[in-house]
């Protein structure tokens, strides 16, 4: 247990004592942060630019918080100026919540700027790092992020069911000053810490999923063995390589390149294609599963995950080959070969640099 906590601190880049793996998927991390930091009547500002921001709104409302929503079109990065205006207009806001890497759209937001804004306006920042941790930089202490949660099944490449979280002193003080009990017994961090804390010994709170924790221990070892910088560079290169190849096949990113995640690539589906049929063919014929669009992007995009162990040249080649074959005229493979060659050019950086990947 202590080794997992120590490794999580390295991966979150924090010295926060309260850095632990919660028993439950990423949604448990989300809900734990919000139910512990909000009391009925508090004001929370929540940024929504996709499905998971919307879920945060729902939880804040269930906490009885006066919830101010800064809504964006799906696929946009969070607009810092609009968030600042919302914090200025709602001076009593005690919490700013946002998703760093929106898995429903593939958009990345400026987490450092958002954490800075929260601190400037006297609010705690709650950051969703479910899809970002292990794939792109997450710098909890440097960004002064107050409460951050993640999941194991994305870029940490671990079975699902655990949610790593980290809270700093400001966040813990807020919890200690609560005047009402946390409405969830299971997610009450005061109780959970009796099991995961260092000082108080180990008091039973609930039966921990030990098999999953062994899995997380191994996954964290692999992340640290590779090194965070190398891992981020690998994700960046694989994402770019895939996009270059997709462009040759006539498929464009949905999100503006500067805000696009490398580990979750959203592609605009050409109007004349039956997107569901192609996804099914990829799965049936090639055993490759890509995601369809969610919510307002349903039927309009594909969502391609290149996370953790799957962010490898072999995955990029396999998908470009399969997609190319599915899109080309029967018997033709000219575009497919060109697409793979375009990706190989980018992936060549892996061999030249210090970044490692399994071919
Ligand atoms: C950004 C984001 N937040 C929260 C969640 C919820 O995590 P889980 O499905 O593990 O409960 C997800 C899941 O995909 C996610 O992508």
């Amino acid at each position: 247990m202590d080794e997992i906590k120590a490794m999580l601190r390295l991966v979150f880049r924090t010295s926060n004592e309260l850095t632990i793996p919660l028993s439950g998927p990423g949604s448990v991390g989300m809900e734990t942060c919000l139910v512990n930091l909000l009391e009925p009547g508090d004001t929370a500002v929540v940024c929504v630019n996709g499905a998971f921001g919307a879920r945060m709104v729902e939880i804040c409302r269930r906490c009885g918080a006066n919830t101010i929503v800064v809504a964006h079109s799906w696929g946009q990065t969070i607009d810092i100026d609009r968030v600042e205006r919302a914090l200025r207009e709602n001076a009593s806001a005690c919490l700013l919540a946002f998703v760093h890497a929106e898995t429903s759209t593939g958009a990345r937001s400026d987490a450092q700027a958002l954490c800075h804004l929260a601190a400037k306006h006297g609010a705690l920042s709650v950051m969703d790092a479910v899809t970002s941790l292990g794939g792109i930089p997450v710098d909890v202490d440097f960004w002064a992020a107050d409460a951050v949660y993640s999941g194991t099944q994305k870029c940490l490449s671990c079975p699902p069911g655990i949610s790593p979280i980290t809270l700093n002193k400001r966040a813990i003080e807020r919890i200690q000053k609560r005047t009402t009990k946390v409405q969830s017994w299971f997610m009450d961090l005061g109780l959970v810490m009796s099991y995961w804390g260092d000082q108080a010994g180990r008091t039973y709170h609930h039966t921990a999923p030990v098999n999953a924790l062994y899995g997380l221990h191994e996954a964290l070892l692999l992340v640290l063995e590779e090194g965070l910088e190398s891992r981020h560079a690998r994700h960046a290169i694989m994402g770019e390589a895939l996009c270059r190849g997709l462009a040759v096949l006539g498929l464009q990113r949905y999100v503006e390149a500067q805000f696009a995640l490398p580990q979750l690539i959203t592609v605009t589906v050409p109007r004349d294609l039956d997107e569901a049929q192609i996804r099914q063919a990829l799965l049936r014929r090639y055993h490759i599963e890509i995601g369809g669009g969610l919510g307002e992007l349903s039927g309009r995009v594909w969502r391609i995950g290149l996370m953790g162990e799957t962010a490898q040249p072999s995955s990029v080649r396999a998908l470009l080959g399969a997609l190319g074959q599915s899109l080309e005229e029967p018997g033709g493979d000219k575009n497919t070969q060109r697409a793979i060659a375009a990706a190989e050019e980018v992936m060549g950086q892996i061999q030249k640099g210090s970044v490692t990947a399994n071919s």
Side-chain angles (χ1 to χ4, degrees), residues 45-80:
V45 173
V46 184
C47 309
V48 178
N49 61 340
F52 295 102
R55 192 178 285 188
M56 284 175 141
V57 170
E58 179 62 24
I59 297 173
C60 289
R61 288 190 175 138
R62 289 182 187 212
C63 289
N66 167 31
T67 307
I68 311 297
V69 179
V70 184
H72 301 70
S73 305
W74 283 35
Q76 277 186 342
T77 189
I78 295 169
D79 183 330
I80 305 295

Side-chain angles (χ1 to χ4, degrees), residues 24-30 52-53 55 99-104 128-132 149-154 160-163 303 307:
S27 306
V28 166
M30 180 189 287
F52 295 102
R55 192 178 285 188
V99 178
H100 184 203
E102 241 310 342
T103 329
S104 60
D128 178 315
V130 169
T131 284
S132 49
Y149 61 88
S150 187
T152 45
Q153 74 275 25
K154 300 282 197 304
I162 301 277
S163 176
R303 294 177 313 122
M307 299 184 188

Side-chain angles (χ1 to χ4, degrees), residues 129-163:
V130 169
T131 284
S132 49
L133 194 68
I136 55 173
V138 172
D139 221 328
V140 170
D141 283 1
F142 186 63
W143 297 347
D146 296 305
V148 183
Y149 61 88
S150 187
T152 45
Q153 74 275 25
K154 300 282 197 304
C155 296
L156 297 181
S157 263
C158 187
I162 301 277
S163 176

Side-chain angles (χ1 to χ4, degrees), residues 74-77 105-108 243 252-262 266 268:
W74 283 35
Q76 277 186 342
T77 189
T105 68
R108 173 207 301 243
C243 287
Q252 304 302 330
R253 292 183 214 254
Y254 180 74
V255 175
E256 211 180 313
Q258 59 173 318
F259 304 121
L261 295 168
T266 323
T268 304

